[in-house]
Amino acid sequence: MGTIPKLLIIAGAVLIVVGLLWALLGRFLPLGRLPGDISIEKEGFAFYFPVVTCIVISLVVSGIAYLVRLFK
C-alpha cells in the first residue's frame, strides 16, 4: 500500500476519534459557546462565528503537531 492511502486511513481514524471525543466531552466543555464567539441574531437572520473556539482548537492542534515533531 502506498503512502497516500495510509495517510488517508490515519486521517480518517483521527477524525473519527476527534468526533467521538467532541460528542462525549461536548457536554462538559463549552466549545462553540465560549466568551468571545460572535453571535448576531436579528429578525429572520442569525450569524454565528466561533472566533475564540477556532483559536483554542488551533492552539491545541498546533501543540499536538509540535509534540509529534519533537518525539519523531
Side-chain angles (χ1 to χ4, degrees), residues 1-2 4-5 7 9-10 14 19-20 22 24 26 29-31 33 37 42 62 64 66 71:
M1 189 180 325
I4 297 295
L7 180 67
I9 291 170
I10 291 171
V14 167
L20 290 172
W22 196 309
L24 293 174
L29 298 174
L31 286 178
R33 298 178 305 273
D37 290 344
K42 294 184 179 182
S62 295
I64 291 171
Y66 173 76
F71 292 113

Side-chain angles (χ1 to χ4, degrees), residues 2-66:
T3 58
I4 297 295
K6 286 181 184 178
L7 180 67
L8 289 174
I9 291 170
I10 291 171
V14 167
L15 286 174
I16 289 171
V17 170
V18 168
L20 290 172
L21 286 174
W22 196 309
L24 293 174
L25 296 177
R27 300 176 192 148
F28 307 109
L29 298 174
L31 286 178
R33 298 178 305 273
L34 294 175
D37 290 344
I38 298 172
S39 177
I40 300 172
E41 295 181 19
K42 294 184 179 182
E43 186 177 329
F45 176 76
F47 177 76
Y48 179 73
F49 186 69
V51 177
V52 176
T53 300
C54 290
I55 292 171
V56 169
I57 292 172
S58 176
L59 289 172
V60 169
V61 171
S62 295
I64 291 171
Y66 173 76

